[in-house]
Amino acid sequence: MIGKLKGVVDSFGEDFVILDVNGVGYVVHCSARTLQRLPKTGEAAQLSIETHVREDMIRLYGFRSDAEREWFRLLQTVQGVGARVALGVLSVLEPDQLGAAIATGDKTSVARAPGVGPRLAARLVAELKDKTPAFAPLDPALASLAGMAEERGAPGPVADAVSALTNLGYPQTQAAVAVAAALKAAGEGAEAKVLIRLGLKELAR
């Protein structure tokens, strides 16, 4: 099995890159994010690889990090999610963003992925929520606070701060997690303006 490839970018396709490794060109399928962030043609590149073997073919999937590859595997444990849908999810959400979305129950962000409707997004969140801590560096306390913020069950200042950050253009999940972290730092009873200021610092990291 192939676990990693290091070579030179030969060319790009719609959903794949051909990586030249010592004169052998490997066709490696990648998420849109991974393809966009690979070096230019002729430059060196390295990808973590997931190998799928079937009776009629062998297909390679490439990732910028081992974390992205682990999410690719984990997503496919959910019924109805194959390699294409998993890559679609990873095309719209970074691994840490995906972990935060699942931890906070943000079905809307997950549903943005091609091939993922509201029903499948709900199933992904429900089935992977307990597995997320092993894959995402998100404090469970923050996940709980962020979940309350997104469900509008949080205190007024928290909800107001999340609303302010989303109005500034930040995704709902990121805004909720940032405000949750701000609340943890400032303490209960913090005013919305304090949470907004600290939340913006969190988002700027």
Side-chain angles (χ1 to χ4, degrees):
M1 292 297 226
I2 298 173
K4 183 175 289 186
L5 286 175
K6 186 176 183 180
V8 174
V9 176
D10 180 87
S11 58
F12 290 94
E14 184 177 349
D15 65 347
F16 66 86
V17 61
I18 295 181
L19 198 62
D20 185 329
V21 182
N22 297 324
V24 178
Y26 291 89
V27 177
V28 184
H29 296 268
C30 305
S31 69
R33 282 181 179 272
T34 294
L35 288 175
Q36 290 168 2
R37 297 182 180 183
L38 281 173
K40 298 177 182 178
T41 301
E43 296 184 359
Q46 178 175 297
L47 290 169
S48 293
I49 300 294
E50 178 75 0
T51 306
H52 283 194
V53 180
R54 297 181 181 175
E55 291 183 2
D56 57 342
M57 70 173 187
I58 297 176
R59 179 164 288 196
L60 304 179
Y61 296 92
F63 310 93
R64 293 173 54 242
S65 67
D66 290 342
E68 187 183 16
R69 181 176 61 186
E70 291 304 317
W71 270 111
F72 177 73
R73 292 171 177 168
L74 186 63
L75 286 166
Q76 291 177 81
T77 64
V78 177
Q79 184 180 0
V81 178
R84 179 171 293 184
V85 171
L87 283 183
V89 172
L90 292 168
S91 291
V92 298
L93 293 169
E94 294 276 8
D96 58 342
Q97 294 173 342
L98 176 57
I102 291 175
T104 59
D106 181 9
K107 299 181 286 291
T108 303
S109 289
V110 179
R112 287 168 40 215
V116 179
R119 191 171 297 177
L120 181 54
R123 193 188 314 147
L124 279 164
V125 169
E127 293 188 20
L128 298 182
K129 195 159 191 175
D130 292 338
K131 301 176 182 178
T132 295
F135 290 85
L138 184 64
D139 185 330
L142 294 189
S144 177
L145 286 168
M148 283 198 308
E150 289 199 309
E151 292 166 7
R152 293 172 175 78
V158 173
D160 290 344
V162 172
S163 176
L165 293 181
T166 54
N167 288 338
L168 289 174
Y170 292 101
Q172 179 80 5
T173 296
Q174 291 183 32
V177 171
V179 171
L183 183 64
K184 188 174 181 181
E188 293 186 16
E191 296 182 2
K193 62 183 180 181
V194 173
L195 297 178
I196 293 169
R197 177 171 54 80
L198 293 177
L200 286 170
K201 284 186 177 180
E202 286 290 327
L203 290 165
R205 286 185 178 183

